[in-house]
Amino acid sequence: MSTYPENFRYTKEHEWAHLEGGVATIGITDHAQAELGDIVYVDLPKVGTKLEKGHSIGSVESVKAVSDIYSPLTGEVIEVNEGLASTPEQLNHDPHGAAWLVKLRVTGDDEIKKLMSASEYQEYVGAEG
Amino acid sequence: MLAACGVESLEDLFAHLPKEAQLGRPLNMAPGISEYEIIDFFKARSNDNATGYTSFLGAGVYQHYRPVLIDTIVSRGEFLTSYTPYQAEISQGTLTAIFEFQTMICQLTGMDVANASMYDGSTAVPEAAMMAVRITGKSKVLVSRVVHPEYREVLRTYAKHQGIPVEEFGYDAESGQLDLEDLERRLDGETAAVIVQSPNFFGIVENVKAAADLAHKRGALLIFVFTEAVSLGILEPPHEADIVAGELQSFAISPSYGGPYAGIIAAKEKYIRQLPGRLVGETLDARGNRAFCLTLSTREQHIRREKATSNICTNQALIALMATVFMTIYGKAGLRELAEQNLAKAHYLSSKIKPRFSGPFFNEFVAATNGSAPEPLNQKLLENKIIGGLPLRKFYPELGNAVLLCATEMTARAHMDTLAEAVSIQ
Amino acid sequence: MIRKVRQHISQNEALIFEESSPGKSGYQLPPLDVPAIDPAAALGKQNVRDEIEGFPEISEVETIRHFTRLSTWNYAIDLGLYPLGSCTMKYNPRVNEFVARLDGLAWAHPYQPESLSQGALQVISDLEAAMLEITGMDAVTLQPAAGAHGEFTGILLVRALLESRGNPRKRILVPDSAHGTNPATAAMAGYTVQNIKSNEQGLMDVEALARFVDEDVAALMVTNPNTLGVFEENIVQCAKILHDKGAMVYMDGANMNALVGLARPGDFGVDVMHINLHKTFSTPHGGGGPGGGPVAVKSWLEPFLPIPRLARKNDQWHLDYDRPQSIGRVRAFYGNFGVLVRALAYILAHGCDGLRNATLDALLNANYIRHKLAPYFDLPYTSPNMHEVVFSDERQAKRGVKTGDIAKRLIDYGFHPYTVSFPTIVHGALMIEPTETESLREIDLFIDSMISIAKEIETDPKMVLGAPYDTRTNKVDEVGAARRPVVRWKPERPASKAAD
């Protein structure tokens, strides 16, 4: 069974967000990477991009599929995980850790609270699967 | 077989079609004919066309010698009758040849990556423009008036409904080269791409670097277009361009009344994910041997559907193979010598018939006229089995009676002398 | 038991660049009959390039061996049944290749005088006439270079007509069973795409369609027979729904080979369609192209067709550019003329009866395969099929073997795979199209192979998953290729250089 960190929050589109002091780290879940299979490319926004909750951040690609990533929160991109460009396979190995996607300076109020907790997400993917 | 299908007649196989959709009568066409009747039929059509003429037509379609080996190779059933190489294990022949093609196009153009082909040069240009729009996030496209007129028409058709305004910039009336001042005036912060052709429609070599510098200064990309691929055997490749869109008809592809030809798009490495069309990549098979497969397919319509980089599916693979065999046979020394012969022939012709523009030209040039319309002269030349130059009035009214003349390695000195004589006594 | 093939030796061959050695060449040019020119003087020193680095240097015999060796690594129709559904891999008659190379046709320059192009223009006229009789439409352009190019042209025509009526509208409806080119085309023509779900029979749902169609809909893009090989039996009602709201019906003619001589789109409500000459009319696929994508229309779309149009004046063919409502050009010159020649040769060879018989044979072959394989593979949609049949891997997937794995095992049996995982409305699709080309003997060989694989999956699924075993190249690492794309050859750097 995959483990979803308790201090992360999750979306139905299989992104996670981890908020620390006004900055949220965003990634895709272990369930998402497993569904996609071998990830070959990650398309991420530039630093400075302003994102609204639910809008596309970018996409992840396997050989035969493209999956959009949606921002779980509203904010501005302050850091992008550049390493994923040369080693997209990291997303398959460590989606909740080293293979985070972007860091956002969060501007929306309380959006994080509307996301799922680890146990809710676990239940959600269990039901979806 | 019918019994196995549980039907009594072939007609039962489509009896479920709604009655109003069924044709219910034979097609109103002649019965089938045999092989030699087919050959007779097309020989008659062939004879109704020009045969045995010497032609001075170029203008995007060039008469170059086609080594016999080309058709020998592309007629092999394994190349001719195979599909797009989606099943890599049993398509390595096509995949390897495309990989070689992509490499040769890069070597020729000075670009880093090239796709597996486009329909032709004219459709490669709007695809390159759309690519530039995606890359820059800007919309306007500036195209030189000395880019092939029909290519510009195709560009307008494609651009019209994608919110891409297309604006033209002029050429210098003395040199026949693009007007850099006009380009600079029209460039603005909304310009995604500047499109130039070299040699341009008048056969004249452009100052690509200067155009590229202007474009880059305003954050636009430079798209380099070529219609005469043989020129790349001698001309400096467009290192300064960001995208190259071209036509390979000159590489042993018969003129064939306008097609099929093969277009290409090549670009700088960083734009690889914005390329339209198929790409072949190198990899390994499970035994660790070098192998090739179609790659970066997520750009394409069968995966990304309405968000694809283009809707292109079928391309010009077999024609690209012709070009690959051509580039192999001529190779490093041959393409250079071929280009030098073209240069020499056209310059011999220009020693007899004065060019209208002063810019350096490769194998075609605009001929000044003494004021009379070219059509009667061309009509008279036909009696000597010579097809004269292309009257330019239709595309460039300001050039009046000027014609575009082309000479290739296949143009004999004697025919050039005949043409020159006819022009001088006109 | 594998009956069609056994192992044999295939030659190794390096890339042409690795075979090259300095100074070799395979070309011949006659001596110049005019004075040579100094390139730097004629062109300017800065415009003259150095030698083309890495370009081939190789002899003629090495060239022919190189490409012949490569060719032996390909599967082809000339080697056997090529059951790629939707792709229509039928025999490519060689007489078509011969006539396309006749001097007067192959060497015709597109700008040569019309008086010297009457033969070429007659070919265009004859093929136009044949297309109109076969499709039941009113006018046709032969300019588009391929199916997707035809789609683009067709949707631009729809747009132009609607614009002339005051409103180009916003949306194009595309069934979920459509080819990917359809939505990609709609987007290129400036429309948004709305996908509509098929019903339980895999057909267009008339009621659902009625709900979707409003004054913002420009057209429905429909493939008929659809990608399941099933004729859209409600097409006439669907067309009426569209037409009642002033919208058009675009038909993707990829499967027209199922209808030639039996039914005509012009008679069942289609306003505009394309035809794939490289499918229905047997012009060779050539490893991915060239193709031909004529677009046929009803009279109301005719004024908008691309320029130039073929016209008759003073007993001569000529090209008419004076078409003020035209969408313009979609391609330079007049289309893939050489492909048009081949398609016309195919039509002449078959004639009225032959074309219909070809269609019937294609239907028979597909239905025969369906009935023979139905006991072994799951058939998710049971509507009567036309020229192709779509199974699903549901039964085999329970043993861990999916459609892609079955396809790879089929290679060991000496066949090219069917179309894998398309249409996407069938989970794990096996899409099989035999075409009229195949004899009962070849089809039975194929059926035996499929049954044998089904049995292997029952007894030894693991073995099947390892296929193909007997190809010179086995499973290819597509993931590696996509992660670190290498799309051109580069010379290996000398060790000393690589070190710094």
Side-chain angles (χ1 to χ4, degrees):
Chain A
M1 197 182 97
S2 56
T3 52
Y4 293 97
E6 292 294 336
N7 51 345
F8 288 12
R9 307 288 284 186
Y10 302 86
T11 71
K12 287 185 175 177
E13 288 78 32
H14 311 289
E15 293 91 10
W16 56 261
H18 180 215
L19 189 62
E20 281 175 310
V23 173
T25 307
I26 311 291
I28 61 167
T29 67
D30 186 59
H31 174 83
Q33 72 76 19
E35 284 287 297
L36 274 161
D38 292 321
I39 290 167
V40 299
Y41 182 65
V42 187
D43 185 28
L44 295 174
K46 292 195 175 87
V47 169
T49 308
K50 292 197 168 64
L51 293 169
E52 284 199 36
K53 178 184 158 78
H55 286 203
S56 177
I57 300 181
S59 57
V60 283
E61 298 182 7
S62 64
V63 170
K64 292 197 166 84
V66 186
S67 195
D68 280 319
I69 317 162
Y70 301 98
S71 183
L73 302 169
T74 301
E76 184 182 332
V77 179
I78 54 166
E79 201 181 334
V80 171
N81 190 349
E82 306 284 355
L84 292 177
S86 54
T87 53
E89 55 270 34
Q90 269 202 316
L91 262 171
N92 291 115
H93 306 320
D94 194 7
H96 299 154
W100 58 274
L101 301 177
V102 297
K103 294 190 181 189
L104 289 185
R105 184 173 310 286
V106 174
T107 54
D109 295 335
D110 284 350
E111 284 173 345
I112 191 94
K113 290 185 184 155
K114 294 181 189 130
L115 303 181
M116 286 181 272
S117 69
S119 59
E120 284 166 339
Y121 180 70
Q122 180 75 63
E123 199 178 321
Y124 171 69
V125 294
E128 196 189 49
Chain B
M1 285 177 92
L2 287 169
C5 298
V7 294
E8 283 170 8
S9 73
L10 285 169
E11 280 67 26
D12 291 347
L13 293 171
F14 65 93
H16 63 284
L17 264 59
K19 282 283 163 291
E20 65 265 44
Q22 290 190 31
L23 179 57
R25 62 163 174 83
L27 286 169
N28 183 17
M29 300 168 93
I33 58 176
S34 67
E35 183 167 304
Y36 84 76
E37 291 169 294
I38 293 170
I39 291 173
D40 274 355
F41 176 91
F42 284 101
K43 274 189 175 160
R45 298 292 87 75
S46 170
N47 291 334
D48 289 343
N49 272 1
T51 49
Y53 284 74
T54 293
S55 165
F56 289 91
L57 291 171
V61 180
Y62 303 92
Q63 316 225 16
H64 292 294
Y65 177 67
R66 300 184 67 238
V68 171
L69 207 55
I70 310 258
D71 280 346
T72 307
I73 289 167
V74 301
S75 298
R76 282 193 68 93
E78 299 92 330
F79 285 129
L80 183 74
T81 76
S82 56
Y83 192 66
T84 305
Y86 287 121
Q87 296 290 342
E89 294 87 347
I90 45 173
S91 311
Q92 285 297 308
T94 295
L95 287 163
T96 308
I98 295 174
F99 186 79
E100 293 178 337
F101 172 81
Q102 291 173 180
T103 304
M104 291 181 202
I105 297 304
C106 291
Q107 292 166 339
L108 201 62
T109 59
M111 292 289 111
D112 303 318
V113 293
N115 77 359
S117 74
M118 306 300 290
Y119 305 135
D120 72 344
S122 76
T123 52
V125 169
E127 293 275 8
M130 284 150 55
M131 199 175 149
V133 166
R134 289 193 298 272
I135 290 166
T136 60
K138 303 173 182 186
S139 66
K140 191 171 100 173
V141 170
L142 281 176
V143 59
S144 152
R145 268 198 83 214
V146 265
V147 168
H148 195 296
E150 296 201 13
Y151 287 25
R152 282 182 281 131
E153 287 178 49
V154 176
L155 173 64
R156 275 196 290 271
T157 307
Y158 270 71
K160 194 170 169 193
H161 303 297
Q162 302 187 58
I164 305 176
V166 176
E167 207 177 293
E168 299 192 346
F169 61 97
Y171 61 89
D172 183 86
E174 207 265 309
S175 70
Q177 290 169 312
L178 56 91
D179 181 344
L180 288 167
E181 281 174 25
D182 192 29
L183 170 59
E184 190 167 21
R185 246 193 323 273
R186 291 172 192 273
L187 265 164
D188 60 26
E190 260 315 293
T191 310
V194 172
I195 306 179
V196 304
Q197 177 184 322
S198 182
N200 66 26
F201 190 68
F202 300 154
I204 294 171
V205 180
E206 294 282 15
N207 186 348
V208 180
K209 187 175 183 310
D213 288 347
L214 287 177
H216 293 157
K217 228 176 357 186
R218 299 306 297 262
L221 303 189
L222 188 90
I223 297 173
F224 175 91
V225 179
F226 65 88
T227 61
E228 173 44 296
V230 168
S231 69
L232 285 164
I234 198 161
L235 288 174
E236 185 67 5
H239 299 291
E240 303 85 3
D242 302 283
I243 306 172
V244 173
E247 168 61 64
L248 298 182
Q249 182 273 327
S250 285
F251 286 176
I253 300 164
S254 42
S256 200
Y257 208 52
Y261 301 158
I264 62 107
I265 289 196
K268 293 273 158 69
E269 176 113 43
K270 58 185 167 184
Y271 304 132
I272 187 168
R273 288 179 186 273
Q274 292 301 334
L275 279 176
R278 297 187 188 122
L279 264 177
V280 169
E282 182 181 331
T283 186
L284 297 173
D285 77 353
R287 297 187 194 110
N289 291 317
R290 174 160 70 187
F292 299 95
C293 63
L294 292 172
T295 195
L296 305 187
S297 304
T298 47
R299 298 165 295 115
E300 294 183 73
Q301 47 78 25
H302 61 279
I303 293 176
R304 209 181 283 250
R305 299 175 81 88
E306 63 266 32
K307 291 180 185 160
T309 51
S310 167
N311 72 343
I312 190 168
C313 179
T314 290
N315 58 16
Q316 304 287 120
L318 194 74
I319 313 294
L321 178 63
M322 284 186 191
T324 308
V325 180
F326 172 91
M327 289 187 272
T328 303
I329 291 174
Y330 273 92
K332 199 184 266 186
L335 193 62
R336 176 67 174 222
E337 190 182 335
L338 181 65
E340 286 180 359
Q341 286 213 358
N342 275 260
L343 188 72
K345 297 273 187 168
H347 283 76
Y348 176 79
L349 186 61
S350 76
S351 71
K352 308 249 161 183
I353 302 173
K354 193 173 172 295
R356 162 81 168 69
F357 297 110
S358 63
F361 60 92
F362 175 59
N363 69 353
E364 56 189 329
F365 61 91
V366 176
T369 56
N370 54 10
S372 56
E375 288 80 5
L377 171 67
N378 278 349
Q379 195 58 41
K380 226 174 83 195
L381 284 168
L382 292 180
E383 290 163 20
N384 296 325
K385 290 231 134 189
I386 289 176
I387 298 175
L390 178 74
L392 287 174
R393 194 189 305 111
K394 176 178 157 192
F395 299 125
Y396 300 91
E398 70 276 18
L399 292 181
N401 293 323
V403 294
L404 185 63
L405 289 172
C406 177
T408 71
E409 78 282 4
M410 291 175 77
T411 315
R413 177 176 187 152
H415 291 131
M416 293 194 273
D417 291 341
T418 310
L419 176 75
E421 199 175 318
V423 171
S424 68
I425 61 171
Q426 193 191 9
Chain C
M1 152 120 185
I2 298 175
R3 285 196 287 155
K4 188 171 172 239
V5 285
R6 66 175 185 227
Q7 286 180 304
H8 79 126
I9 288 167
S10 74
Q11 312 231 2
N12 288 329
E13 180 67 8
L15 291 174
I16 200 80
F17 316 103
E18 298 157 346
E19 299 280 325
S20 294
S21 39
K24 273 195 186 178
S25 67
Y27 78 100
Q28 295 164 344
L29 282 165
L32 263 178
D33 60 358
V34 297
I37 286 281
D38 172 22
L43 297 166
K45 199 165 176 290
Q46 76 286 2
N47 286 326
V48 178
R49 80 183 295 164
D50 297 332
E51 67 170 29
I52 306 173
E53 201 189 334
F55 226 49
E57 291 180 277
I58 199 156
S59 73
E60 178 172 329
V61 67
E62 287 169 320
T63 302
I64 197 163
R65 281 194 183 146
H66 175 75
F67 289 103
T68 304
R69 285 172 183 158
L70 297 194
S71 76
T72 64
W73 304 345
N74 271 1
Y75 189 84
I77 303 170
D78 282 3
L79 290 167
L81 181 142
Y82 210 127
L84 273 177
S86 224
C87 302
T88 313
M89 298 300 286
K90 58 168 76 176
Y91 172 60
N92 307 133
R94 290 313 198 274
V95 65
N96 304 1
E97 298 305 305
F98 179 84
V99 296
R101 286 177 168 82
L102 291 170
D103 265 3
L105 302 175
W107 285 93
H109 192 287
Y111 289 147
Q112 70 190 27
E114 283 173 359
S115 62
L116 294 175
S117 308
Q118 292 298 303
L121 296 173
Q122 185 66 48
V123 166
I124 290 174
S125 165
D126 287 351
L127 187 61
E128 283 191 0
M131 291 295 117
L132 296 182
E133 172 60 12
I134 288 166
T135 59
M137 306 297 277
D138 299 326
V140 62
T141 174
L142 306 180
Q143 202 180 115
H149 200 212
E151 290 175 28
F152 178 61
T153 307
I155 295 301
L156 287 187
L157 295 170
V158 168
R159 193 175 182 108
L161 172 68
L162 294 174
E163 261 171 12
S164 77
R165 292 178 180 170
N167 178 4
R169 304 189 174 198
K170 296 194 177 78
R171 293 181 353 253
I172 299 266
L173 305 181
V174 178
D176 52 6
S177 57
H179 296 109
T181 48
N182 294 175
T185 295
M188 277 176 70
Y191 285 109
T192 56
V193 177
Q194 187 166 20
N195 289 298
I196 53 174
K197 259 189 150 34
S198 304
N199 68 16
E200 280 156 17
Q201 286 88 49
L203 295 167
M204 271 192 305
D205 187 329
V206 181
E207 283 168 29
L209 183 71
R211 281 198 303 276
F212 281 121
V213 179
D214 59 28
E215 311 282 325
D216 271 344
V217 170
L220 166 74
M221 291 182 90
V222 59
T223 307
N224 195 18
N226 65 20
T227 53
L228 295 168
V230 177
F231 190 88
E232 293 281 358
E233 55 192 39
N234 300 321
I235 186 73
V236 177
Q237 290 114 284
C238 291
K240 189 170 181 315
I241 291 168
L242 274 294
H243 293 157
D244 283 350
K245 298 277 184 185
M248 302 280 127
V249 177
Y250 183 95
M251 187 176 115
D252 180 329
N255 294 338
M256 189 64 206
N257 57 314
L259 300 182
V260 174
L262 305 184
R264 308 195 308 170
D267 299 336
F268 55 71
V270 171
D271 301 280
V272 47
M273 67 177 295
H274 78 262
I275 302 126
N276 303 74
L277 297 180
H278 46 294
K279 295 181 180 179
T280 302
F281 298 101
S282 89
T283 71
H285 280 82
V295 170
V297 297
K298 287 293 192 171
S299 57
W300 40 95
L301 288 160
E302 193 272 342
F304 307 98
L305 285 171
I307 48 168
R309 298 279 302 139
L310 189 64
R312 194 85 181 154
K313 205 165 77 182
N314 303 332
D315 240 14
Q316 290 257 303
W317 292 115
H318 86 116
L319 295 163
D320 181 11
Y321 291 85
D322 185 18
R323 308 264 308 169
Q325 287 188 287
S326 167
I327 58 168
R329 273 188 179 283
V330 293
R331 187 195 181 285
F333 316 117
Y334 329 114
N336 279 345
F337 177 76
V339 175
L340 309 183
V341 171
R342 290 167 174 87
L344 181 61
Y346 174 90
I347 290 167
L348 290 175
H350 283 73
C352 49
D353 293 340
L355 288 171
R356 184 173 185 272
N357 287 340
T359 307
L360 291 174
D361 285 349
L363 265 53
L364 180 63
N365 285 348
N367 276 279
Y368 181 76
I369 289 173
R370 170 180 170 150
H371 283 86
K372 290 286 185 179
L373 290 184
Y376 302 92
F377 295 90
D378 196 56
L379 195 66
Y381 293 99
T382 52
S383 308
N385 66 273
M386 303 285 282
H387 66 299
E388 63 193 3
V389 56
V390 180
F391 293 100
S392 106
D393 64 7
E394 196 175 324
R395 234 176 287 178
Q396 289 72 30
K398 287 188 187 126
R399 310 275 303 166
V401 180
K402 295 186 176 164
T403 175
D405 307 315
I406 301 168
K408 295 299 182 197
R409 183 61 181 149
L410 193 55
I411 295 173
D412 282 333
Y413 279 79
F415 289 98
H416 192 281
Y418 45 80
T419 295
V420 176
S421 303
F422 186 83
T424 45
I425 59 167
V426 172
H427 191 80
L430 296 72
M431 186 197 211
I432 301 171
E433 178 179 11
T435 82
E436 75 276 12
T437 293
E438 302 308 330
S439 66
L440 181 58
R441 185 185 144 77
E442 183 81 4
I443 290 176
D444 278 340
L445 262 180
F446 171 74
I447 289 167
D448 289 350
S449 304
M450 290 294 288
I451 293 172
S452 178
I453 295 168
K455 289 178 179 163
E456 286 173 351
I457 293 166
E458 291 303 316
T459 56
D460 193 358
K462 240 188 170 153
M463 184 278 292
V464 175
L465 290 174
Y469 294 99
D470 291 338
T471 45
R472 66 167 280 122
T473 296
N474 65 0
K475 263 191 187 150
V476 164
D477 179 12
E478 295 184 344
V479 171
R483 277 184 181 156
R484 277 167 273 283
V486 177
V487 297
R488 62 168 294 189
W489 175 85
K490 277 182 185 156
E492 273 182 40
R493 286 157 145 251
S496 59
K497 267 199 168 175
D500 59 39

